Amino acid sequence: MPSLQPYSTFGLSASCDSIQPFTDVASFLSVYNAQKNNTDKALYILGGGSNSIFTDDFDGTILVNEIKGISHFDTESHHYLRAGAGENWHDFVTLCMKEKWYGFENLALIPGSVGACPIQNIGAYGREVNTLIDKVECVLLETGEQVLLSNEDCQFGYRDSVFKHELANKVLITHVNFRLPKHYELETSYGELTALTEPTPEKVYSKVIEIRKSKLPDPSELGNAGSFFKNPVVSKAVYQAIAQAYNSVPHFVVSGNADLPATKNEQIKIPAAWLIDQAGFKGKTLNKVRCHPTQPLVLTNLGGATGSDVITMAKDIIASVQHKFGIQLEPEVRLLGNKGLISL
């Protein structure tokens, strides 16, 4: 049975029945259609493997998306890009910077593939990718029909999209189309970016890489899946209750429910890393899984970790944060058992 260890940046020891890469829709459908009627076996479509953790041997076939290609045209006001879902995300961002197709600079060095970016609605340092996505090209798994979803169709939310709900396990993303305005404001209001003097897209790009490298472990050196948990968004009342007990609570105001009056409209994002640190997990180790000392939002594989270790550590963190703050953390990573996705 082939090993899944090279296909997940967390690097747990796991195997599956078969691994089938595909480079276009036709090759995908030929493999998928041959496998899908075998109800005894599971199927899972994998991109860069930076957000999927195999906690057990997978009883089925892994299909690896290797659809490549990047095209560009521009108008007086916008750049338009079409990228294959199998393209490496950071390499794509770097190419855009080189060509002066600006907008992605805050999203540099995020691990994973282009095809994963709309699923997660990836974001960092004040920018979310949904603001730059024009359309997403998909294949409906049931029929093989190719469809084009608009930005609105994707129902983007914080680390969320229709691909995690109504379309979960129902489509293959083949390409993502981006629309980048030529005139826009740089996003430098978040974290260390506020210290930039006379910021340019290149300065933001370089600073984001510098920050991420200083705080986050390189998956090629220390197995990890990036941010393990989502940053929770809470009501203003919940935030104020926590702020009364702690001198300084990092927080960011996010848009609330437009149907509510302004006084009740605000929602507050509190960094999960701060909550985890306050709960005493920063640097803590359970068997071979460690909560990273410089970024507690990241769990790492010290070498030889098991799926059980990961699940136990994650559940301990969730329970402790819930007990201390009344906030339920949710995983950002996708955890897979022997039959597919599992929840905590």
Side-chain angles (χ1 to χ4, degrees), residues 252-273:
F252 307 91
V253 177
V254 297
S255 57
N257 186 338
D259 295 329
L260 294 175
T263 53
K264 296 182 179 179
N265 191 32
E266 279 188 348
Q267 291 183 297
I268 310 294
K269 184 196 300 181
I270 300 177

Side-chain angles (χ1 to χ4, degrees), residues 232 272 274-279 281 315-329:
W274 183 85
L275 297 169
I276 294 166
D277 187 5
Q278 296 300 315
F281 281 88
K315 284 184 172 180
D316 284 354
I317 290 171
I318 291 170
S320 294
V321 170
Q322 173 72 44
H323 177 74
K324 194 174 184 70
F325 297 103
I327 293 175
Q328 180 80 17
L329 290 183

Side-chain angles (χ1 to χ4, degrees), residues 220-297:
S220 66
E221 298 173 4
L222 185 64
N224 72 89
S227 298
F228 196 96
F229 297 101
K230 299 178 185 179
N231 290 317
V233 176
V234 302
S235 68
K236 193 172 182 179
V238 169
Y239 161 71
Q240 288 173 335
I242 295 172
Q244 283 182 348
Y246 293 84
N247 290 331
S248 179
V249 182
H251 64 283
F252 307 91
V253 177
V254 297
S255 57
N257 186 338
D259 295 329
L260 294 175
T263 53
K264 296 182 179 179
N265 191 32
E266 279 188 348
Q267 291 183 297
I268 310 294
K269 184 196 300 181
I270 300 177
W274 183 85
L275 297 169
I276 294 166
D277 187 5
Q278 296 300 315
F281 281 88
K282 186 176 183 178
K284 186 176 179 179
T285 300
L286 173 69
N287 295 329
K288 296 294 184 179
V289 175
R290 189 183 196 190
C291 187
H292 198 57
T294 60
Q295 175 46 282
L297 191 54

